[in-house]
Amino acid sequence: MLHDPNHLYIFDTTLRDGEQVPGCQLTTLEKIDIAKDLELLGVDIIEAGFPVSSPGDFQSVVELSKAVTDVIICALTRANKNDIDVAAEALKHAKRPRIHTGIGASDMHIQYKFSSTREEILERAVAAVKHAKSYVEDVEFYAEDAGRADLAYLAQMVEAVIAAGATVVNIPDTNGYCLPDQYGAKIKYLKENVKNIDQAIISAHCHNDLGLATANSIAAVQNGARQVECTINGIGERAGNTSLEEVAMIMKVHANQFPGLSSSINSKMFTHISRKVSSMMRMPVQPNKAIVGKNAFAHSSGIHQDGFLKHRENYEIIRPEDVGLAEADIILTARSGRHALKHHLERLGYQVDKDNLAMVYEKFLLMADAKKDINDEDLHTLLK
């Protein structure tokens, strides 16, 4: 299966990696609801679950496979025969099934997690891919903890699993360890040193333990990765995963840095789907979260408000409507200036001349110091 080198494949794992967050478990019906929105959003792959982990996860993969038809439905496994058999059974209704199998690639995982050797792990990796390939054409292999793996050994593993039939090779920074230049160099090394690398898509799967998941994923794309694994709101184990909305908007804002490369994401759905996932998973979005946080398009500093009202792009590099918001918020606080106050008064139908505005502004500041945030009712009271 040849892939389009000009397409960035978006692999959403909200329903698998994201759902592993304590307290964020979803019912099958909730998963189907979110999956249908992910399909409308334009993701290419939905990782629906880890079928062998529980009867509920198995059933969710079965039902998602029936409910969603236009995207690839992926099921996670470990590198063993039973996991793969169960995943294949769960995916039997999927129009476009993918099995995602893999094993540790770092010496730390090989020694302390598997009590094994590099040679044995390589054999298990190849055997898992071959077994998955007997069920489905589309097989993704993950080299767990690739972020800390020896480069030469990682390249040997990637070459072997592609030869065994892997169509996608996932290079996870499982612990969020890498710096962007390190992770980008790892992807570049694989592009240049794995002789059959053109037969597979390189995928980036980055965790956010050091706050670098999005930066690392972008570095991977700049160095030849063509799939990014991410979640809505950046949810996921520990500090979370790469944020889907951040990757998509970086690609949009910096399109000239990625000539000819595009995804199918409809960014105008971000606010809607972010709020849905947050609500269903009972996982609040921090107010200053990029793209979808409630303060992402809120201006409260007087200097910023004045510059924004004179020319939006002074303080906004993304239009609110591009992510599904009606408009930016000019928040009135004691830090706000006359321009912001005049803007809100005019919005409410009040015309205040320059001299009167100075007087109203002094009274506004007294009110704002006492109340912190000022709403429309406060402004009506102020003008009375």
Side-chain angles (χ1 to χ4, degrees):
M1 182 178 66
L2 294 175
H3 61 280
D4 179 358
N6 295 316
H7 184 75
L8 182 65
Y9 294 85
I10 300 296
F11 177 113
D12 184 274
T13 185
T14 303
L15 302 179
R16 199 279 299 171
D17 215 333
E19 207 219 10
Q20 290 174 198
V21 176
C24 288
Q25 282 66 43
L26 298 167
T27 66
T28 296
L29 287 177
E30 287 173 330
K31 281 192 171 187
I32 289 171
D33 189 355
I34 291 172
K36 286 183 173 179
D37 271 359
L38 289 171
E39 187 172 32
L40 291 173
L41 178 65
V43 307
D44 300 283
I45 305 100
I46 295 173
E47 189 163 47
F50 184 8
V52 81
S53 66
S54 74
D57 232 30
F58 178 91
Q59 197 57 34
S60 288
V61 176
V62 171
E63 296 305 323
L64 255 73
S65 296
K66 296 175 184 174
V68 180
T69 56
D70 290 342
V71 302
I72 294 167
I73 298 295
C74 178
L76 184 73
T77 83
R78 294 162 298 186
N80 69 57
K81 185 176 183 297
N82 183 59
D83 275 26
I84 294 166
D85 291 340
V86 172
E89 178 66 20
L91 287 167
K92 66 183 180 182
H93 297 290
K95 289 190 175 180
R96 302 174 67 194
R98 175 184 292 182
I99 292 176
H100 189 189
T101 191
I103 200 164
S106 69
D107 288 327
M108 186 174 292
H109 277 221
I110 291 168
Q111 180 178 350
Y112 296 109
K113 183 176 175 179
F114 297 103
S115 300
S116 188
T117 65
R118 286 184 175 187
E119 291 72 28
E120 286 178 1
I121 291 295
L122 204 59
E123 288 175 11
R124 288 176 64 179
V126 169
V129 171
K130 286 182 176 177
H131 190 55
K133 196 76 172 179
S134 71
Y135 286 113
V136 295
E137 177 58 33
D138 191 7
V139 177
E140 177 170 345
F141 176 84
Y142 64 85
E144 191 176 8
D145 201 24
R148 295 187 293 179
D150 174 73
L151 267 177
Y153 177 67
L154 180 62
Q156 183 185 1
M157 178 180 273
V158 167
E159 192 166 305
V161 298
I162 293 173
T167 49
V168 182
V169 285
N170 179 7
I171 313 301
D173 185 22
T174 306
N175 298 289
Y177 171 76
C178 290
L179 295 172
D181 64 322
Q182 294 172 328
Y183 190 66
K186 199 171 285 271
I187 302 300
K188 186 178 182 183
Y189 180 90
L190 296 175
K191 286 285 288 183
E192 293 175 349
N193 291 275
V194 175
K195 64 183 180 184
N196 54 1
I197 198 69
D198 61 332
Q199 295 172 31
I201 298 169
I202 298 178
S203 183
H205 180 110
C206 298
H207 280 262
N208 206 38
D209 299 67
L210 292 174
L212 292 169
T214 297
N216 284 339
S217 297
I218 293 298
V221 174
Q222 289 173 318
N223 284 278
R226 286 297 176 264
Q227 178 176 291
V228 174
E229 309 196 1
C230 38
T231 61
I232 299 298
N233 298 336
I235 61 169
E237 291 215 49
R238 305 186 311 281
N241 289 54
T242 301
S243 163
L244 191 160
E245 58 275 8
E246 290 172 16
V247 169
M249 294 314 293
I250 288 168
M251 297 291 294
K252 190 182 186 81
V253 171
H254 290 285
N256 63 329
Q257 298 295 311
F258 307 92
L261 185 62
S262 62
S263 74
S264 301
I265 296 297
N266 173 15
S267 66
K268 291 182 179 179
M269 282 192 64
F270 280 147
T271 298
H272 162 77
I273 198 165
S274 167
R275 291 173 180 174
K276 175 177 280 192
V277 169
S278 174
S279 172
M280 284 187 173
M281 289 190 164
R282 299 164 294 283
M283 185 83 168
V285 177
Q286 66 190 64
N288 63 327
K289 164 77 175 64
I291 316 302
V292 291
K294 75 183 180 89
N295 290 346
F297 294 92
H299 305 274
S300 64
S301 157
I303 295 170
H304 284 216
Q305 291 172 335
D306 180 61
F308 171 81
L309 290 168
K310 286 173 177 171
H311 183 63
R312 181 190 66 81
E313 291 181 14
N314 280 329
Y315 286 100
E316 279 189 0
I317 59 168
I318 300 165
R319 297 186 307 163
E321 52 267 37
D322 286 345
V323 299
L325 277 175
E327 60 184 359
D329 285 329
I330 305 294
I331 309 296
L332 289 178
T333 72
R335 307 285 82 78
S336 298
R338 288 174 178 78
H339 197 163
L341 176 61
K342 186 170 186 282
H343 164 78
H344 277 289
L345 292 175
E346 288 177 349
R347 179 179 59 81
L348 295 173
Y350 296 105
Q351 298 298 322
V352 184
D353 62 32
K354 191 173 181 180
D355 292 337
N356 282 323
L357 181 63
M359 179 184 67
V360 171
Y361 182 66
E362 294 305 318
K363 292 184 177 181
F364 159 78
L365 288 178
L366 293 173
M367 178 184 275
D369 275 334
K371 264 209 85 186
K372 307 301 182 192
D373 288 332
I374 302 297
N375 58 35
D376 287 356
E377 196 58 41
D378 295 323
L379 293 179
H380 287 303
T381 300
L382 186 70
L383 265 292
K384 285 173 185 173

